[in-house]
Amino acid sequence: MDKLMGLYPMNFKIGGFGSVGAYQISGNEWDSDHYDGLNWKAGVMSIIPLNEYTMGVKFGVLYEQSEASESYLINDVPTSFKFRQKKIDVPVLFTFKAANSRVYFDLGAELSIPLYDKLSVSYTNNSNKKVKNRIDLMDENFRNSLDWGFLFGLSIMANKYVSLDIHADLGLSNMYEGHMKYMNMDLNSSSFNVGLTLYPF
């Protein structure tokens, strides 16, 4: 009957999720340092209906890996910075759609637990020798134990098994505490990801 009436129910689903996207680490001020790169995510997502056709909750547990880098002049010396990060993400989203639509609009928050965060700093010294330092930001107690951000986007159900997902994540918490020489550590992250969710049932 739903098919005859052009209605698409919101059913309980669990599926495998994967995405790739643009990733940025930056400060809150317009002239703050920023570092650009890429990330990818993989894990499990679920849809929990709140009514038959239009409202539900999405919940997931995802593994994320990212890199972001940039080069700046430090005392007139070109210096390269590269962040490498690994996290566990827990998105919690309110999702809604029209009863006759396959397009889901998502809005909510994402909590992230850092697993790995290292910063590589490299430059060429006066002897024309390449110098590279690697700092474990977790071991050195720069890294905060939890990040959170505002997550929004949409999902398009191609059929009952496959969803195209487009989401933006705007970090609202500082990832680091403390001060590092020549570097502002008042930084948060943002990303824009495109992915697929495969629902086996």
Side-chain angles (χ1 to χ4, degrees):
M1 184 62 71
D2 286 338
K3 190 173 293 185
L4 291 174
M5 297 176 64
L7 302 177
Y8 298 100
M10 187 176 290
N11 297 317
F12 174 76
K13 293 178 179 292
I14 297 178
F17 171 88
S19 72
V20 295
Y23 183 73
Q24 184 178 83
I25 298 172
S26 61
N28 295 318
E29 304 297 329
W30 70 270
D31 59 346
S32 296
D33 296 345
H34 68 273
Y35 310 86
D36 297 311
L38 298 172
N39 74 342
W40 61 267
K41 301 181 182 185
V44 176
M45 289 291 295
S46 65
I47 301 175
I48 304 168
L50 297 179
N51 64 23
E52 191 171 359
Y53 295 107
T54 61
M55 293 188 295
V57 174
K58 287 185 178 179
F59 176 81
V61 178
L62 310 174
Y63 172 80
E64 177 184 350
Q65 191 163 315
S66 58
E67 289 189 2
S69 61
E70 192 54 86
S71 296
Y72 298 102
L73 289 175
I74 306 296
N75 294 333
D76 296 324
V77 177
T79 305
S80 297
F81 300 85
K82 177 178 277 190
F83 290 86
R84 291 185 174 90
Q85 300 173 335
K86 300 175 184 178
K87 301 182 247 184
I88 296 294
D89 299 330
V90 182
V92 181
L93 301 166
F94 173 69
T95 188
F96 56 95
K97 70 179 188 69
N100 61 349
S101 175
R102 293 179 181 268
V103 180
Y104 293 65
F105 294 94
D106 303 327
L107 185 68
E110 182 170 83
L111 301 178
S112 297
I113 302 167
L115 303 175
Y116 174 100
D117 197 330
K118 291 190 178 180
L119 171 65
S120 297
V121 182
S122 59
Y123 61 93
T124 301
N125 64 16
N126 294 331
S127 303
N128 206 31
K129 182 180 178 181
K130 190 78 168 180
V131 178
K132 187 172 183 178
N133 296 314
R134 179 173 291 180
I135 304 161
D136 190 318
L137 297 170
M138 296 184 70
D139 282 353
E140 297 296 327
N141 294 320
F142 285 105
R143 192 67 164 89
N144 285 322
S145 59
L146 187 69
D147 305 329
W148 69 281
F150 177 59
L151 185 63
F152 64 96
L154 58 87
S155 302
I156 304 169
M157 294 293 299
N159 54 49
K160 65 180 181 178
Y161 302 111
V162 180
S163 170
L164 171 66
D165 306 303
I166 302 170
H167 291 106
D169 182 3
L170 304 179
L172 299 177
S173 63
N174 289 334
M175 294 188 293
Y176 306 106
E177 289 184 349
H179 179 75
M180 191 177 296
K181 189 177 182 181
Y182 305 130
M183 186 176 181
N184 174 23
M185 297 300 288
D186 183 17
L187 301 169
N188 52 40
S189 66
S190 59
S191 63
F192 180 81
N193 284 73
V194 177
L196 292 175
T197 308
L198 303 179
Y199 299 104
F201 307 109

